[in-house]
Amino acid sequence: TVFESFGFSVIDLSGAPSYSQRNIGVSDLLIGYNLINELVEAKFEKGKYSQSQIAFNKSWKGAPPRLVASINDAVDLAHSMRKKIKNGG
């Protein structure tokens, strides 16, 4: 993946069972870099959130999932996370 090419850890969650068995759709990816984690929702070619993903986003108490709609979005997110770390958080 783009994120792996930047040295990120990546876990594909797209096939994960619904969150807490309540039909709440978890995001597609969990990425991590230098102790910072982000949930990532990949929506290429004008994809839309499912009802279960909308429910997950509303119920999630951590940072909201980041939407990535293109390769450029993924590169921008990787750069912004690395810059955030470089600048101390």
Side-chain angles (χ1 to χ4, degrees), residues 47-87:
K48 296 183 180 183
Y49 285 106
S50 68
Q51 290 300 317
S52 63
Q53 290 169 327
I54 291 168
F56 175 82
N57 292 347
K58 287 180 179 179
S59 69
W60 185 245
K61 295 187 177 28
R66 304 289 295 265
L67 178 64
V68 171
S70 68
I71 299 297
N72 286 340
D73 286 351
V75 170
D76 290 346
L77 176 55
H79 282 301
S80 72
M81 287 178 69
R82 289 173 81 175
K83 183 177 181 181
K84 184 177 182 179
I85 292 163
K86 186 177 179 181
N87 292 333

